[in-house]
Amino acid sequence: MDKDRFEHVRGVTYICSALAMHYGLDIKQAMIAGLLHDCAKSMSDSDKLELCEKKKIPVTSIEEESPQLLHGKLGAYFAHEKYDVDDEEILHAIEVHTTGCVDMSELDMILYVADFIEPNRKKIPCLDEARELAFISLEVLVILSVIDTVEAHIIPTLARIATH
């Protein structure tokens, strides 16, 4: 892991622990999720796709178009296989930390949000407000983040897929 990724992981872990403490959740669980959430991030896109195929990890058409999204699924795989994490809540949080999912648990939301607001994150619009909102309502921040992601990334990706 390079220095920037290390600093990002450290920042996510810090925010995960702070949010877990604030919301009365298991701090150790949140910290493990934060520490391992990007353990597959540095793999090349072709290696991500190849490993998913080899390990029979399902890949959606959107993930095929944007293989960087697979680092969550592969991170959960490595957390279990390489780092002996058996806690299904941690594994699930790692798996969905980039994409989110229906009925996210509080741990899922904490990791999802922490990845977005961690202290080393480059200045993006409304980052200060997002950091404040994280300690008021995880649910609202997740919804706003999903709306932003759909508008900025999903719709253009679907448009590219549709024109192929």
Side-chain angles (χ1 to χ4, degrees), residues 2-14:
D2 66 24
K3 182 183 183 302
D4 288 342
R5 179 70 39 212
F6 175 77
E7 290 301 322
H8 168 71
V9 167
R10 197 169 83 161
V12 171
T13 303
Y14 169 77

Side-chain angles (χ1 to χ4, degrees), residues 19-54:
L19 288 170
M21 191 180 320
H22 178 77
Y23 287 105
L25 299 177
D26 187 312
I27 297 168
K28 183 178 176 184
Q29 247 189 341
M31 290 181 74
I32 292 169
L35 283 169
L36 295 175
H37 83 283
D38 272 354
C39 66
K41 182 86 173 189
S42 63
M43 293 176 68
S44 72
D45 287 350
S46 60
D47 286 346
K48 286 180 182 108
L49 288 165
E50 186 179 316
L51 185 58
C52 284
E53 185 177 332
K54 180 178 178 183

Side-chain angles (χ1 to χ4, degrees), residues 85-96:
V85 174
D86 291 324
D87 184 318
E88 291 298 325
E89 289 182 68
I90 294 171
L91 297 174
H92 190 264
I94 293 169
E95 180 178 341
V96 302

Side-chain angles (χ1 to χ4, degrees), residues 6 16 27 30 54 67 70 82 111 113 146 152:
F6 175 77
C16 281
I27 297 168
K54 180 178 178 183
L70 291 169
K82 186 174 183 179
L111 182 56
V113 164
V146 168

